[in-house]
Amino acid sequence: MSPHSSKEAVDDPLWKSVLEQTFIHFLTFFFPEADKIFDLSKKFVYLDKELQSMFPPKPHNKGVRYVDKLVRVQLVPSPDL
């Protein structure tokens, strides 16, 4: 394992933890009107296991696999409904 990939193995979980801790800020950065789109009072659901199951390990566990974050957020109900 190269030193670079070892650092990635440490950094990836740390980055994902930071993202979970600050996800509301992440949403409002990319969606300035996030409070009008997403119901920010509802709990965010992190679906890491579901996403990881879509990309299973390589045969004989060769290579390190990283799966990005998948988050379920509730939308603000449309006034038309």
Side-chain angles (χ1 to χ4, degrees):
M1 182 181 287
S2 74
H4 182 67
S5 62
S6 176
K7 182 169 174 26
E8 288 174 0
V10 171
D11 290 347
D12 190 66
L14 291 174
W15 166 245
K16 289 177 181 175
S17 176
V18 167
L19 185 60
E20 284 186 22
Q21 299 290 325
T22 61
F23 191 68
I24 193 165
H25 302 291
F26 178 84
L27 277 180
T28 56
F29 178 81
F30 286 102
F31 300 95
E33 296 187 356
D35 58 329
K36 296 180 178 128
I37 301 168
F38 307 107
D39 186 346
L40 301 177
S41 68
K42 302 286 184 180
K43 186 175 178 182
F44 302 122
V45 179
Y46 299 95
L47 302 168
D48 298 346
K49 300 280 187 221
E50 291 79 357
L51 182 60
Q52 196 169 34
S53 71
M54 296 171 61
F55 301 95
K58 293 179 180 179
H60 308 291
N61 292 323
K62 291 185 178 183
V64 177
R65 305 287 308 252
Y66 295 104
V67 177
D68 289 319
K69 298 297 283 181
L70 178 62
V71 184
R72 179 174 44 211
V73 295
Q74 298 291 318
L75 298 176
V76 171
S78 172
D80 298 336
L81 295 178

